[in-house]
Short mmCIF file of all heavy atoms in Angstrom, two decimals:
data_model
loop_
_atom_site.label_atom_id
_atom_site.label_comp_id
_atom_site.label_asym_id
_atom_site.label_seq_id
_atom_site.Cartn_x
_atom_site.Cartn_y
_atom_site.Cartn_z
N MET G 1346 66.80 -241.27 162.72
CA MET G 1346 67.96 -242.06 162.32
C MET G 1346 68.89 -242.17 163.52
O MET G 1346 69.05 -241.22 164.29
CB MET G 1346 68.68 -241.37 161.16
CG MET G 1346 69.86 -242.13 160.61
SD MET G 1346 70.65 -241.17 159.28
CE MET G 1346 71.86 -242.35 158.72
N LYS G 1347 69.48 -243.36 163.66
CA LYS G 1347 70.43 -243.57 164.75
C LYS G 1347 71.64 -244.33 164.20
O LYS G 1347 71.46 -245.24 163.37
CB LYS G 1347 69.76 -244.37 165.86
CG LYS G 1347 70.48 -244.31 167.15
CD LYS G 1347 69.65 -244.88 168.28
CE LYS G 1347 70.47 -244.82 169.56
NZ LYS G 1347 69.83 -245.53 170.66
N VAL G 1348 72.81 -243.94 164.62
CA VAL G 1348 74.02 -244.58 164.10
C VAL G 1348 74.91 -245.05 165.25
O VAL G 1348 74.78 -244.58 166.40
CB VAL G 1348 74.83 -243.63 163.19
CG1 VAL G 1348 74.09 -243.32 161.91
CG2 VAL G 1348 75.20 -242.36 163.92
N GLN G 1349 75.79 -245.97 164.91
CA GLN G 1349 76.70 -246.54 165.90
C GLN G 1349 78.05 -246.76 165.21
O GLN G 1349 78.09 -247.12 164.03
CB GLN G 1349 76.10 -247.88 166.34
CG GLN G 1349 76.77 -248.55 167.50
CD GLN G 1349 76.06 -249.86 167.81
OE1 GLN G 1349 75.86 -250.70 166.94
NE2 GLN G 1349 75.66 -250.03 169.06
N VAL G 1350 79.12 -246.56 165.95
CA VAL G 1350 80.45 -246.86 165.41
C VAL G 1350 80.93 -248.17 166.04
O VAL G 1350 80.91 -248.33 167.27
CB VAL G 1350 81.46 -245.73 165.74
CG1 VAL G 1350 82.88 -246.15 165.33
CG2 VAL G 1350 81.08 -244.45 165.01
N ASP G 1351 81.33 -249.09 165.19
CA ASP G 1351 81.92 -250.34 165.67
C ASP G 1351 83.40 -250.08 165.95
O ASP G 1351 84.20 -249.97 165.03
CB ASP G 1351 81.74 -251.43 164.60
CG ASP G 1351 82.27 -252.77 165.06
OD1 ASP G 1351 83.07 -252.81 166.03
OD2 ASP G 1351 81.91 -253.78 164.44
N SER G 1352 83.72 -249.97 167.22
CA SER G 1352 85.09 -249.59 167.59
C SER G 1352 86.09 -250.69 167.26
O SER G 1352 87.29 -250.43 167.19
CB SER G 1352 85.16 -249.23 169.07
OG SER G 1352 84.73 -250.32 169.84
N THR G 1353 85.62 -251.91 167.02
CA THR G 1353 86.56 -252.97 166.63
C THR G 1353 86.96 -252.83 165.16
O THR G 1353 87.96 -253.39 164.74
CB THR G 1353 85.96 -254.37 166.87
OG1 THR G 1353 84.87 -254.58 165.98
CG2 THR G 1353 85.52 -254.54 168.31
N LYS G 1354 86.13 -252.08 164.39
CA LYS G 1354 86.44 -251.89 162.96
C LYS G 1354 87.09 -250.53 162.69
O LYS G 1354 87.85 -250.39 161.75
CB LYS G 1354 85.16 -251.97 162.13
CG LYS G 1354 84.62 -253.37 161.94
CD LYS G 1354 83.48 -253.30 160.95
CE LYS G 1354 82.85 -254.66 160.70
NZ LYS G 1354 81.64 -254.52 159.86
N CYS G 1355 86.71 -249.51 163.47
CA CYS G 1355 87.18 -248.15 163.21
C CYS G 1355 88.70 -248.12 163.19
O CYS G 1355 89.36 -248.62 164.09
CB CYS G 1355 86.66 -247.20 164.28
SG CYS G 1355 87.30 -245.52 164.11
N ASP G 1356 89.23 -247.53 162.11
CA ASP G 1356 90.68 -247.49 161.95
C ASP G 1356 91.20 -246.06 161.96
O ASP G 1356 92.28 -245.78 161.43
CB ASP G 1356 91.07 -248.19 160.65
CG ASP G 1356 92.06 -249.32 160.90
OD1 ASP G 1356 92.65 -249.34 161.99
OD2 ASP G 1356 92.26 -250.15 160.00
N ALA G 1357 90.41 -245.16 162.51
CA ALA G 1357 90.85 -243.78 162.75
C ALA G 1357 91.15 -243.00 161.48
O ALA G 1357 92.08 -242.21 161.44
CB ALA G 1357 92.04 -243.74 163.72
N TYR G 1358 90.35 -243.22 160.44
CA TYR G 1358 90.53 -242.44 159.22
C TYR G 1358 89.99 -241.02 159.36
O TYR G 1358 90.41 -240.12 158.66
CB TYR G 1358 89.85 -243.12 158.02
CG TYR G 1358 90.58 -244.34 157.55
CD1 TYR G 1358 90.24 -245.60 158.03
CD2 TYR G 1358 91.62 -244.24 156.63
CE1 TYR G 1358 90.91 -246.74 157.60
CE2 TYR G 1358 92.30 -245.36 156.20
CZ TYR G 1358 91.95 -246.60 156.69
OH TYR G 1358 92.62 -247.72 156.28
N GLY G 1359 88.98 -240.86 160.22
CA GLY G 1359 88.47 -239.53 160.51
C GLY G 1359 87.52 -238.95 159.48
O GLY G 1359 87.06 -237.82 159.61
N LEU G 1360 87.21 -239.72 158.44
CA LEU G 1360 86.37 -239.18 157.37
C LEU G 1360 84.94 -238.95 157.83
O LEU G 1360 84.25 -238.06 157.32
CB LEU G 1360 86.38 -240.14 156.18
CG LEU G 1360 87.77 -240.39 155.58
CD1 LEU G 1360 87.70 -241.41 154.46
CD2 LEU G 1360 88.38 -239.09 155.07
N CYS G 1361 84.49 -239.71 158.79
CA CYS G 1361 83.12 -239.54 159.29
C CYS G 1361 82.96 -238.17 159.95
O CYS G 1361 81.97 -237.47 159.72
CB CYS G 1361 82.76 -240.65 160.27
SG CYS G 1361 83.92 -240.82 161.64
N ALA G 1362 83.93 -237.78 160.74
CA ALA G 1362 83.85 -236.49 161.42
C ALA G 1362 84.02 -235.34 160.43
O ALA G 1362 83.49 -234.25 160.66
CB ALA G 1362 84.90 -236.41 162.52
N ASP G 1363 84.73 -235.57 159.34
CA ASP G 1363 84.81 -234.55 158.28
C ASP G 1363 83.45 -234.38 157.61
O ASP G 1363 83.02 -233.26 157.35
CB ASP G 1363 85.83 -234.96 157.20
CG ASP G 1363 87.26 -234.75 157.65
OD1 ASP G 1363 87.47 -234.08 158.68
OD2 ASP G 1363 88.16 -235.26 156.97
N ALA G 1364 82.79 -235.50 157.35
CA ALA G 1364 81.51 -235.46 156.63
C ALA G 1364 80.37 -234.97 157.52
O ALA G 1364 79.48 -234.28 157.06
CB ALA G 1364 81.18 -236.84 156.06
N ALA G 1365 80.40 -235.36 158.78
CA ALA G 1365 79.29 -235.04 159.69
C ALA G 1365 79.81 -234.73 161.09
O ALA G 1365 79.63 -235.51 162.02
CB ALA G 1365 78.30 -236.20 159.72
N PRO G 1366 80.43 -233.57 161.25
CA PRO G 1366 80.98 -233.23 162.58
C PRO G 1366 79.90 -233.05 163.64
O PRO G 1366 80.20 -233.12 164.83
CB PRO G 1366 81.73 -231.90 162.32
CG PRO G 1366 81.16 -231.37 161.05
CD PRO G 1366 80.71 -232.54 160.25
N GLN G 1367 78.65 -232.87 163.20
CA GLN G 1367 77.54 -232.75 164.16
C GLN G 1367 77.20 -234.11 164.77
O GLN G 1367 76.56 -234.17 165.81
CB GLN G 1367 76.27 -232.22 163.48
CG GLN G 1367 76.47 -231.15 162.42
CD GLN G 1367 76.71 -231.73 161.04
OE1 GLN G 1367 77.52 -232.63 160.86
NE2 GLN G 1367 76.03 -231.18 160.04
N VAL G 1368 77.63 -235.17 164.09
CA VAL G 1368 77.22 -236.52 164.49
C VAL G 1368 78.37 -237.32 165.09
O VAL G 1368 78.17 -238.12 166.00
CB VAL G 1368 76.64 -237.27 163.26
CG1 VAL G 1368 76.20 -238.68 163.64
CG2 VAL G 1368 75.48 -236.49 162.65
N PHE G 1369 79.58 -237.08 164.57
CA PHE G 1369 80.74 -237.87 165.01
C PHE G 1369 81.82 -236.97 165.58
O PHE G 1369 82.05 -235.87 165.08
CB PHE G 1369 81.34 -238.66 163.83
CG PHE G 1369 80.36 -239.59 163.18
CD1 PHE G 1369 79.64 -239.19 162.07
CD2 PHE G 1369 80.15 -240.86 163.69
CE1 PHE G 1369 78.72 -240.04 161.47
CE2 PHE G 1369 79.24 -241.72 163.10
CZ PHE G 1369 78.52 -241.31 162.00
N GLU G 1370 82.48 -237.46 166.60
CA GLU G 1370 83.65 -236.76 167.13
C GLU G 1370 84.79 -237.76 167.19
O GLU G 1370 84.57 -238.97 167.21
CB GLU G 1370 83.36 -236.18 168.51
CG GLU G 1370 82.96 -237.20 169.54
CD GLU G 1370 82.54 -236.55 170.84
OE1 GLU G 1370 82.73 -235.34 170.99
OE2 GLU G 1370 82.02 -237.27 171.70
N LEU G 1371 86.01 -237.23 167.19
CA LEU G 1371 87.19 -238.09 167.21
C LEU G 1371 87.91 -237.93 168.54
O LEU G 1371 87.98 -236.83 169.10
CB LEU G 1371 88.15 -237.71 166.08
CG LEU G 1371 87.57 -237.75 164.67
CD1 LEU G 1371 88.64 -237.33 163.67
CD2 LEU G 1371 87.01 -239.11 164.32
N ASP G 1372 88.44 -239.03 169.05
CA ASP G 1372 89.23 -238.91 170.27
C ASP G 1372 90.66 -238.47 169.93
O ASP G 1372 90.97 -238.20 168.76
CB ASP G 1372 89.19 -240.22 171.09
CG ASP G 1372 89.95 -241.36 170.42
OD1 ASP G 1372 90.71 -241.12 169.46
OD2 ASP G 1372 89.79 -242.50 170.89
N ASP G 1373 91.51 -238.38 170.92
CA ASP G 1373 92.86 -237.87 170.71
C ASP G 1373 93.67 -238.71 169.73
O ASP G 1373 94.66 -238.24 169.16
CB ASP G 1373 93.62 -237.81 172.04
CG ASP G 1373 93.06 -236.73 172.95
OD1 ASP G 1373 92.30 -235.87 172.46
OD2 ASP G 1373 93.35 -236.77 174.16
N PHE G 1374 93.23 -239.95 169.52
CA PHE G 1374 93.96 -240.84 168.62
C PHE G 1374 93.29 -240.95 167.25
O PHE G 1374 93.72 -241.72 166.41
CB PHE G 1374 94.11 -242.22 169.26
CG PHE G 1374 94.79 -242.17 170.59
CD1 PHE G 1374 94.06 -242.17 171.77
CD2 PHE G 1374 96.17 -242.06 170.68
CE1 PHE G 1374 94.68 -242.10 173.00
CE2 PHE G 1374 96.81 -241.98 171.90
CZ PHE G 1374 96.07 -241.99 173.07
N GLY G 1375 92.19 -240.21 167.08
CA GLY G 1375 91.50 -240.20 165.79
C GLY G 1375 90.38 -241.21 165.65
O GLY G 1375 89.78 -241.32 164.59
N TYR G 1376 90.10 -241.93 166.72
CA TYR G 1376 89.01 -242.91 166.65
C TYR G 1376 87.68 -242.21 166.88
O TYR G 1376 87.58 -241.28 167.69
CB TYR G 1376 89.23 -244.03 167.68
CG TYR G 1376 90.38 -244.92 167.32
CD1 TYR G 1376 91.67 -244.67 167.80
CD2 TYR G 1376 90.19 -246.01 166.46
CE1 TYR G 1376 92.74 -245.47 167.44
CE2 TYR G 1376 91.26 -246.82 166.10
CZ TYR G 1376 92.53 -246.55 166.59
OH TYR G 1376 93.58 -247.34 166.22
N ALA G 1377 86.66 -242.70 166.17
CA ALA G 1377 85.37 -242.01 166.18
C ALA G 1377 84.47 -242.48 167.30
O ALA G 1377 84.49 -243.64 167.71
CB ALA G 1377 84.68 -242.25 164.84
N ALA G 1378 83.64 -241.54 167.76
CA ALA G 1378 82.54 -241.85 168.67
C ALA G 1378 81.35 -241.03 168.20
O ALA G 1378 81.51 -240.01 167.53
CB ALA G 1378 82.92 -241.48 170.10
N VAL G 1379 80.16 -241.50 168.54
CA VAL G 1379 78.97 -240.75 168.16
C VAL G 1379 78.67 -239.69 169.20
O VAL G 1379 78.93 -239.87 170.39
CB VAL G 1379 77.74 -241.68 167.98
CG1 VAL G 1379 77.91 -242.55 166.76
CG2 VAL G 1379 77.49 -242.51 169.23
N ARG G 1380 78.13 -238.60 168.75
CA ARG G 1380 77.61 -237.57 169.66
C ARG G 1380 76.14 -237.90 169.94
O ARG G 1380 75.50 -238.61 169.17
CB ARG G 1380 77.68 -236.19 169.00
CG ARG G 1380 79.09 -235.73 168.64
CD ARG G 1380 79.00 -234.32 168.06
NE ARG G 1380 80.26 -233.89 167.49
CZ ARG G 1380 81.23 -233.29 168.19
NH1 ARG G 1380 81.09 -233.05 169.48
NH2 ARG G 1380 82.37 -232.93 167.60
N ASN G 1381 75.62 -237.35 171.00
CA ASN G 1381 74.18 -237.42 171.28
C ASN G 1381 73.65 -238.85 171.28
O ASN G 1381 72.53 -239.11 170.83
CB ASN G 1381 73.43 -236.57 170.23
CG ASN G 1381 71.99 -236.31 170.61
OD1 ASN G 1381 71.66 -236.21 171.78
ND2 ASN G 1381 71.13 -236.21 169.61
N GLY G 1382 74.47 -239.80 171.75
CA GLY G 1382 74.01 -241.19 171.81
C GLY G 1382 73.73 -241.81 170.46
O GLY G 1382 73.08 -242.84 170.38
N GLY G 1383 74.24 -241.17 169.40
CA GLY G 1383 74.04 -241.71 168.06
C GLY G 1383 72.75 -241.25 167.40
O GLY G 1383 72.50 -241.59 166.25
N VAL G 1384 71.95 -240.48 168.12
CA VAL G 1384 70.70 -239.98 167.54
C VAL G 1384 71.04 -238.83 166.57
O VAL G 1384 71.73 -237.88 166.95
CB VAL G 1384 69.73 -239.49 168.62
CG1 VAL G 1384 68.48 -238.89 167.99
CG2 VAL G 1384 69.38 -240.63 169.56
N VAL G 1385 70.57 -238.98 165.34
CA VAL G 1385 70.86 -238.00 164.28
C VAL G 1385 69.63 -237.12 164.07
O VAL G 1385 68.52 -237.63 163.81
CB VAL G 1385 71.22 -238.71 162.96
CG1 VAL G 1385 71.49 -237.71 161.86
CG2 VAL G 1385 72.43 -239.63 163.18
N GLN G 1386 69.81 -235.83 164.18
CA GLN G 1386 68.71 -234.90 163.91
C GLN G 1386 68.38 -234.95 162.42
O GLN G 1386 69.25 -235.23 161.59
CB GLN G 1386 69.13 -233.46 164.28
CG GLN G 1386 69.59 -233.30 165.72
CD GLN G 1386 68.51 -233.69 166.72
OE1 GLN G 1386 67.35 -233.34 166.56
NE2 GLN G 1386 68.90 -234.44 167.74
N ASP G 1387 67.13 -234.67 162.10
CA ASP G 1387 66.69 -234.74 160.70
C ASP G 1387 67.58 -233.91 159.78
O ASP G 1387 67.91 -234.34 158.68
CB ASP G 1387 65.24 -234.28 160.57
CG ASP G 1387 64.27 -235.34 161.06
OD1 ASP G 1387 64.71 -236.50 161.26
OD2 ASP G 1387 63.09 -235.02 161.27
N GLU G 1388 67.98 -232.74 160.25
CA GLU G 1388 68.78 -231.86 159.39
C GLU G 1388 70.21 -232.38 159.18
O GLU G 1388 70.91 -231.90 158.30
CB GLU G 1388 68.80 -230.42 159.93
CG GLU G 1388 69.43 -230.26 161.29
CD GLU G 1388 68.42 -230.33 162.43
OE1 GLU G 1388 67.38 -231.02 162.27
OE2 GLU G 1388 68.66 -229.71 163.48
N ASP G 1389 70.63 -233.34 159.98
CA ASP G 1389 71.98 -233.89 159.86
C ASP G 1389 71.99 -235.24 159.14
O ASP G 1389 73.05 -235.86 158.98
CB ASP G 1389 72.61 -234.06 161.25
CG ASP G 1389 72.78 -232.73 161.95
OD1 ASP G 1389 72.95 -231.71 161.27
OD2 ASP G 1389 72.74 -232.72 163.20
N LYS G 1390 70.81 -235.69 158.73
CA LYS G 1390 70.70 -237.04 158.18
C LYS G 1390 71.54 -237.23 156.91
O LYS G 1390 72.24 -238.23 156.75
CB LYS G 1390 69.22 -237.34 157.89
CG LYS G 1390 68.93 -238.80 157.78
CD LYS G 1390 67.44 -239.05 157.67
CE LYS G 1390 67.24 -240.47 157.15
NZ LYS G 1390 65.87 -240.76 156.79
N ALA G 1391 71.48 -236.26 156.01
CA ALA G 1391 72.23 -236.39 154.75
C ALA G 1391 73.73 -236.47 155.03
O ALA G 1391 74.44 -237.27 154.42
CB ALA G 1391 71.91 -235.23 153.82
N ALA G 1392 74.19 -235.66 155.97
CA ALA G 1392 75.62 -235.68 156.31
C ALA G 1392 76.00 -237.02 156.95
O ALA G 1392 77.06 -237.58 156.67
CB ALA G 1392 75.95 -234.52 157.26
N ALA G 1393 75.12 -237.54 157.80
CA ALA G 1393 75.40 -238.83 158.43
C ALA G 1393 75.46 -239.95 157.40
O ALA G 1393 76.33 -240.83 157.47
CB ALA G 1393 74.33 -239.13 159.48
N GLU G 1394 74.56 -239.90 156.42
CA GLU G 1394 74.57 -240.92 155.37
C GLU G 1394 75.85 -240.80 154.54
O GLU G 1394 76.42 -241.81 154.12
CB GLU G 1394 73.33 -240.78 154.49
CG GLU G 1394 72.09 -241.26 155.21
CD GLU G 1394 70.79 -240.91 154.51
OE1 GLU G 1394 70.81 -240.05 153.60
OE2 GLU G 1394 69.75 -241.47 154.89
N GLU G 1395 76.31 -239.58 154.32
CA GLU G 1395 77.57 -239.38 153.61
C GLU G 1395 78.73 -239.97 154.42
O GLU G 1395 79.64 -240.60 153.87
CB GLU G 1395 77.78 -237.88 153.38
CG GLU G 1395 79.08 -237.51 152.70
CD GLU G 1395 79.27 -238.19 151.35
OE1 GLU G 1395 78.28 -238.43 150.65
OE2 GLU G 1395 80.43 -238.49 151.01
N ALA G 1396 78.68 -239.82 155.73
CA ALA G 1396 79.73 -240.38 156.59
C ALA G 1396 79.74 -241.91 156.51
O ALA G 1396 80.81 -242.52 156.46
CB ALA G 1396 79.50 -239.93 158.04
N VAL G 1397 78.55 -242.51 156.48
CA VAL G 1397 78.47 -243.96 156.35
C VAL G 1397 79.15 -244.40 155.07
O VAL G 1397 79.94 -245.36 155.05
CB VAL G 1397 76.99 -244.43 156.38
CG1 VAL G 1397 76.89 -245.91 156.03
CG2 VAL G 1397 76.36 -244.15 157.74
N ARG G 1398 78.88 -243.67 153.98
CA ARG G 1398 79.49 -244.02 152.68
C ARG G 1398 80.99 -243.76 152.69
O ARG G 1398 81.76 -244.48 152.06
CB ARG G 1398 78.85 -243.21 151.55
CG ARG G 1398 77.50 -243.73 151.12
CD ARG G 1398 77.05 -243.07 149.82
NE ARG G 1398 76.76 -241.66 150.00
CZ ARG G 1398 75.57 -241.17 150.38
NH1 ARG G 1398 74.59 -241.99 150.62
NH2 ARG G 1398 75.38 -239.88 150.52
N ALA G 1399 81.42 -242.73 153.42
CA ALA G 1399 82.83 -242.33 153.39
C ALA G 1399 83.74 -243.25 154.19
O ALA G 1399 84.92 -243.36 153.89
CB ALA G 1399 82.96 -240.89 153.91
N CYS G 1400 83.19 -243.90 155.17
CA CYS G 1400 84.05 -244.73 156.05
C CYS G 1400 84.67 -245.87 155.24
O CYS G 1400 83.96 -246.71 154.70
CB CYS G 1400 83.26 -245.30 157.21
SG CYS G 1400 84.28 -246.34 158.27
N PRO G 1401 86.00 -245.91 155.16
CA PRO G 1401 86.65 -246.91 154.31
C PRO G 1401 86.56 -248.33 154.84
O PRO G 1401 86.81 -249.28 154.10
CB PRO G 1401 88.12 -246.47 154.26
CG PRO G 1401 88.23 -245.24 155.07
CD PRO G 1401 86.95 -245.00 155.80
N VAL G 1402 86.20 -248.49 156.10
CA VAL G 1402 86.16 -249.85 156.67
C VAL G 1402 84.75 -250.24 157.12
O VAL G 1402 84.58 -251.21 157.87
CB VAL G 1402 87.17 -249.99 157.83
CG1 VAL G 1402 88.59 -249.90 157.31
CG2 VAL G 1402 86.92 -248.95 158.91
N GLN G 1403 83.77 -249.50 156.67
CA GLN G 1403 82.35 -249.78 156.99
C GLN G 1403 82.13 -249.99 158.49
O GLN G 1403 81.50 -250.95 158.93
CB GLN G 1403 81.84 -251.03 156.23
CG GLN G 1403 81.62 -250.80 154.76
CD GLN G 1403 82.89 -250.96 153.94
OE1 GLN G 1403 83.61 -251.91 154.13
NE2 GLN G 1403 83.16 -250.02 153.06
N ALA G 1404 82.70 -249.07 159.27
CA ALA G 1404 82.58 -249.19 160.73
C ALA G 1404 81.32 -248.53 161.29
O ALA G 1404 81.03 -248.67 162.47
CB ALA G 1404 83.82 -248.57 161.39
N ILE G 1405 80.59 -247.82 160.44
CA ILE G 1405 79.41 -247.11 160.94
C ILE G 1405 78.15 -247.88 160.53
O ILE G 1405 77.95 -248.20 159.37
CB ILE G 1405 79.33 -245.68 160.35
CG1 ILE G 1405 80.61 -244.93 160.66
CG2 ILE G 1405 78.11 -244.95 160.91
CD1 ILE G 1405 80.78 -243.65 159.87
N ARG G 1406 77.35 -248.16 161.54
CA ARG G 1406 76.12 -248.92 161.28
C ARG G 1406 74.93 -248.00 161.52
O ARG G 1406 74.91 -247.23 162.48
CB ARG G 1406 76.06 -250.11 162.24
CG ARG G 1406 75.23 -251.21 161.70
CD ARG G 1406 75.47 -252.57 162.35
NE ARG G 1406 76.37 -252.58 163.50
CZ ARG G 1406 76.12 -253.31 164.59
NH1 ARG G 1406 75.03 -254.02 164.69
NH2 ARG G 1406 76.99 -253.33 165.58
N VAL G 1407 73.96 -248.11 160.65
CA VAL G 1407 72.70 -247.39 160.84
C VAL G 1407 71.75 -248.30 161.58
O VAL G 1407 71.43 -249.41 161.12
CB VAL G 1407 72.10 -246.97 159.48
CG1 VAL G 1407 70.77 -246.26 159.69
CG2 VAL G 1407 73.06 -246.08 158.72
N LEU G 1408 71.32 -247.88 162.77
CA LEU G 1408 70.45 -248.72 163.59
C LEU G 1408 68.98 -248.51 163.26
O LEU G 1408 68.19 -249.42 163.33
CB LEU G 1408 70.68 -248.44 165.07
CG LEU G 1408 72.11 -248.66 165.57
CD1 LEU G 1408 72.20 -248.32 167.04
CD2 LEU G 1408 72.55 -250.09 165.34
N GLU G 1409 68.63 -247.28 162.96
CA GLU G 1409 67.23 -246.95 162.64
C GLU G 1409 67.24 -245.92 161.53
O GLU G 1409 68.13 -245.08 161.49
CB GLU G 1409 66.53 -246.29 163.84
CG GLU G 1409 66.39 -247.15 165.05
CD GLU G 1409 66.01 -246.29 166.25
OE1 GLU G 1409 65.48 -245.19 166.08
OE2 GLU G 1409 66.24 -246.77 167.36
N ASP G 1410 66.22 -245.98 160.69
CA ASP G 1410 66.10 -244.93 159.67
C ASP G 1410 65.29 -243.78 160.18
O ASP G 1410 64.53 -243.90 161.10
CB ASP G 1410 65.46 -245.49 158.40
CG ASP G 1410 66.53 -245.79 157.37
OD1 ASP G 1410 67.59 -245.16 157.44
OD2 ASP G 1410 66.28 -246.65 156.52
S1 SF4 C 466 85.53 -242.90 158.94
FE1 SF4 C 466 85.27 -244.96 159.80
S2 SF4 C 466 87.32 -245.62 160.31
FE2 SF4 C 466 87.39 -243.42 160.06
S3 SF4 C 466 87.12 -242.57 162.11
FE3 SF4 C 466 85.11 -242.70 161.14
S4 SF4 C 466 84.27 -244.67 161.78
FE4 SF4 C 466 86.46 -244.72 162.15
#
């Protein structure tokens, strides 16, 4: 699984990093970036999918399953 954050949509809610801190990190202003180039380890997949659902502005895109 691979994910990407659309920085034009991200509104710094921070819910993705709460749901999947292994996958997303926040900058000093609360905007999200992916860790590890967006590659999600198998054991983090459920958390990443939860982050996708949690984002209030649908800023997280799944590139590969
Ligand atoms: S939950 Fe969505 S809007 Fe909030 S920081 Fe993450 S990507 Fe950005």
